[in-house]
Amino acid sequence: QQPVQSPQAVILREGEDAVINCSSSKALYSVHWYRQKHGEAPVFLMILLKGGEQKGHEKISASFNEKKQQSSLYLTASQLSYSGTYFCGTEIGATNKLIFGTGTLLAVQP
Amino acid sequence: EPEVTQTPSHQVTQMGQEVILRCVPISNHLYFYWYRQILGQKVEFLVSFYNNEISEKSEIFDDQFSVERPDGSNFTLKIRSTKLEDSAMYFCAGSQGIGEQFFGPGTRLTVL
């Protein structure tokens, strides 16, 4: 039931782009994306709902392929502040119960 | 901007002791959650709470755990008899409904 994230880790230079993937073996109602910096709480980035609705922040985009039960998070023109661990949280029904993936560690270097 | 607060920030306890972790959610939130994160691992769902009752719980949330919203503002997680493996960061979160969950800063629980 736990979603699988890839890659496990990625190192970027400032200005480069990254894609983080999240896939589930179950039919999903929604996918949430969070970023967590070391020693801090997860911070909401984006939610993608079954049916195509998206809610999130301007500089980050994501897609949700309902047929494949996969979501991808797109980080463009990365900044140092993008560094952290990115988690996808999946919701199977409209339950608000999020099952998180194992995370993708993103390090942006100057 | 309103935020979720949690107390204490760090709790050290002896194995077998009871602990209560406290959270004050954002006032207009209706759904409340507890998650835990063992050091270096993923965030794990424990329980969700709506309309003064548990709406979902995970396999981790066994009889040793309980949640309460005693006074309409605080939201508590009680662990009756702590075990070494309960050592983790515990996050409280809240939401208005389906959508963004706002996380608190967490309570680090250390069981000795």
Side-chain angles (χ1 to χ4, degrees):
Chain A
Q1 193 175 359
Q2 175 184 303
V4 177
Q5 285 185 235
S6 63
Q8 288 186 319
V10 59
I11 300 174
L12 297 174
R13 295 283 183 193
E14 266 187 296
E16 292 181 338
D17 301 340
V19 180
I20 300 172
N21 301 302
C22 173
S23 63
S24 172
S25 59
K26 302 278 187 181
L28 298 176
Y29 176 80
S30 72
V31 179
H32 299 222
W33 286 95
Y34 285 80
R35 177 172 59 216
Q36 185 179 33
K37 293 187 181 282
H38 183 70
E40 298 182 10
V43 173
F44 173 82
L45 297 174
M46 173 78 70
I47 179 174
L48 301 105
L49 299 169
K50 185 177 178 180
E53 187 180 357
Q54 295 185 25
K55 299 178 187 178
H57 297 269
E58 293 179 0
K59 295 188 177 182
I60 295 171
S61 62
S63 63
F64 180 19
N65 184 325
E66 291 178 40
K67 286 184 180 177
K68 293 185 177 180
Q69 306 306 325
Q70 290 177 350
S71 178
S72 295
L73 184 72
Y74 305 97
L75 304 165
T76 55
S78 58
Q79 304 167 17
L80 295 175
S81 61
Y82 286 11
S83 294
T85 300
Y86 289 76
F87 291 99
C88 66
T90 55
E91 189 182 9
I92 293 178
T95 62
N96 286 343
K97 175 184 176 181
L98 291 183
I99 305 300
F100 284 92
T102 49
T104 295
L105 179 63
L106 179 76
V108 181
Q109 297 177 342
Chain B
E1 187 174 323
E3 55 184 27
V4 179
T5 59
Q6 289 186 243
T7 54
S9 56
H10 191 189
Q11 174 90 49
V12 181
T13 190
Q14 296 290 326
M15 192 168 56
Q17 294 296 304
E18 174 183 286
V19 294
I20 297 176
L21 310 182
R22 292 184 167 81
C23 169
V24 179
I26 295 171
S27 59
N28 64 352
H29 283 178
L30 302 175
Y31 296 81
F32 311 104
Y33 317 88
W34 283 101
Y35 292 87
R36 81 171 185 192
Q37 186 176 34
I38 294 169
L39 186 64
Q41 299 186 22
K42 67 182 172 78
V43 178
E44 297 177 291
F45 173 85
L46 292 178
V47 65
S48 60
F49 193 83
Y50 171 71
N51 202 25
N52 282 323
E53 58 184 31
I54 290 173
S55 46
E56 293 280 341
K57 61 182 181 179
S58 71
E59 307 77 36
I60 302 167
F61 194 89
D62 60 20
D63 293 343
Q64 293 299 313
F65 291 87
S66 62
V67 288
E68 263 192 332
R69 195 152 187 256
D71 56 11
S73 61
N74 291 287
F75 180 49
T76 63
L77 175 70
K78 183 193 292 187
I79 309 175
R80 287 191 185 80
S81 178
T82 49
K83 307 184 190 79
L84 294 175
E85 54 265 35
D86 292 329
S87 294
M89 183 73 91
Y90 288 80
F91 293 106
C92 169
S95 68
Q96 289 184 318
I98 302 294
E100 178 174 0
Q101 294 185 17
F102 289 80
F103 280 72
T107 293
R108 180 167 298 284
L109 177 66
T110 301
V111 182
L112 304 176

